[in-house]
Amino acid sequence: MRICIVGAGIAGCHAAFDLAADHDVTVLDRVGIAAEATGYSAGLVAPTQYYPDRPAIARHANGFFADFDGTHGFEFTERDRLD
């Protein structure tokens, strides 16, 4: 099956990554990967902040973004956090 995803922000890239295992996926973005809202908003991925009561979700999200490290100009750097 061929899939076209419009938007190369976090949601679009996540969907593309998951679907690419068994689909032919094309991602379209008028500017580039994380070039607008994603690239200029928070600038970080902090799942532990949003899912403190669900550590498995936070671990999955961290692993998902770590898998993108070095691809298409995306850089993932894991850092300790203190609230």
Side-chain angles (χ1 to χ4, degrees):
M1 176 180 268
R2 294 175 64 193
I3 305 288
C4 180
I5 296 173
V6 178
I10 287 179
C13 288
H14 183 181
F17 182 80
D18 283 349
L19 291 169
D22 54 2
H23 295 82
D24 180 13
V25 179
T26 300
V27 179
L28 302 175
D29 195 282
R30 65 182 168 170
V31 179
I33 295 174
E36 291 190 319
T38 299
Y40 295 124
S41 60
L44 59 92
V45 176
T48 53
Q49 178 180 1
Y50 302 107
Y51 299 104
D53 58 333
R54 296 189 174 152
I57 292 174
R59 279 192 302 277
H60 173 78
N62 281 332
F64 172 81
F65 288 105
D67 287 344
F68 273 115
D69 186 33
T71 63
H72 306 288
F74 180 85
E75 183 179 327
F76 178 82
T77 304
E78 190 167 350
R79 293 193 164 88
D80 291 333
R81 162 185 172 118
L82 178 63
D83 289 322

